[in-house]
Amino acid sequence: MKKTILTGLRPTGNLHLGHYFGACQNYLKMQNDYDFYLEIADVQALTDNFNNPEKVRKNVTEITIDLLSTGLDPNKVNFFIQSKIPEIAELTVFYSNLVTVARLQRNPTVKTEIAQKKELFGNDGESITYGFLGYPVSQAADITAFQGELVPVGEDQLPLIEQCREIVRKFNSIYGETLKEPSAILSETKRVKGLDGNDKMGKSLGNAIFLNDSEEVIKKKIMGAITDPKKIKKDDPANPDICMVYYYHNLVNNKENIEKVCSECKKGSRGCVQCKKELIEAMNNFLAPIKEKRAYYEAHPEEVKEILENGTKKAKQKAEEQMKKIKKAMKIDYE
Ligand code: TRP
Ligand code: SF4
């Protein structure tokens, strides 16, 4: 029996290199060997976009196409839409008894996000909604509705997986051994830095390269990337380790070229403009097959729709079975 993988993404924007190296690469590796459920988490996206439903709606298709364009195989991965699985909402209500408000307020991921969303939740989070504070409970429902055993996520999500494990233990201790405790799986590249040198690439940080950026946009972004500030002249020796151009060469170029960039930069036999031009080319080559698949799916919207329908059907079946077990354990399995 294959182990079950469950992971999710909020449909709030297009995927960038941070998603690709931090998450998608891992999905690609895992898709062959597991029973894989990939949730387009529209309900979770609404917890901080409740006032912007069009954005979430539009991005359900966008993110599905992005994911397919990275090479995920819809015959191996069940893509599904969270809101089409009402069992998840039901489970969220059940689990909400098993977690304290104080524990949710202490969740580091939730805390960070509240601090970032002052416009929505106030300066000190005084206008935090019940729904946003509780989204870790809903995420525990996402995972356990499918008996998810492995959860490939980015580093920032670890506190949410820990919270899920606590809910599972609490559930099992009260209602009997029913749920599996999931484990997080981190990518080799845990985090991708931004064009500005920021530790994290993020859409809202304005420092991201998106998988669907045009060649024109990529050129502009890379030409503006942060390099070693001490390098003024073309033949000044510099330190590639503090240069974002070198950092991205490492992600998308081949070993030989990476070594060349490094040694020439240190020697002062390489100018930054040339170095950036080479990176632009390497980046375009890296993104070319992804864009090619994107173009295919954009031209075949009915296929994307069908992929979501089929995946959602499978997910629904699995969640229904799991729900029966859970209701039985909780003694709410009325006939
Ligand atoms: N919270 C995740 C994120 O923001 C998305 C997500 C929703 C998720 N449901 C999940 C991740 C279940 C793992 C498992 O990226
Ligand atoms: Fe960065 Fe390349 Fe310039 Fe060195 S030569 S500082 S690696 S852009």
Side-chain angles (χ1 to χ4, degrees), residues 227-228 231 238 240 243 245-246 261 265 270-272 275:
T227 56
D228 180 349
K231 184 167 162 92
C243 171
V245 177
Y246 178 61
V261 172
C265 175
R270 155 175 293 262
C272 291
C275 195

Side-chain angles (χ1 to χ4, degrees), residues 10 12 44-45 47-49 104-125 128 131-136 139 156-160 200 204:
R10 291 185 196 173
T12 53
Q44 188 177 113
T47 59
D48 58 343
N49 291 281
L104 289 167
Q105 283 166 333
R106 276 200 308 273
N107 184 308
T109 310
V110 177
K111 258 167 92 173
T112 310
E113 284 175 302
I114 293 173
Q116 285 165 351
K117 296 171 203 291
K118 293 193 166 52
E119 219 173 281
L120 211 51
F121 299 138
N123 273 335
D124 303 306
I128 183 71
F132 190 81
L133 185 64
Y135 96 73
Q139 188 156 320
D156 63 310
Q157 293 288 305
L158 291 178
L160 290 161
K200 196 178 170 189
S204 51

Side-chain angles (χ1 to χ4, degrees), residues 243-271:
C243 171
M244 295 319 295
V245 177
Y246 178 61
Y247 177 83
Y248 294 123
H249 269 295
N250 268 292
L251 289 178
V252 299
N253 215 329
N254 60 45
K255 201 159 163 258
E256 198 185 324
N257 284 341
I258 295 166
E259 278 165 14
K260 190 162 157 243
V261 172
C262 184
S263 71
E264 289 182 358
C265 175
K266 283 181 180 161
K267 272 193 298 198
S269 61
R270 155 175 293 262

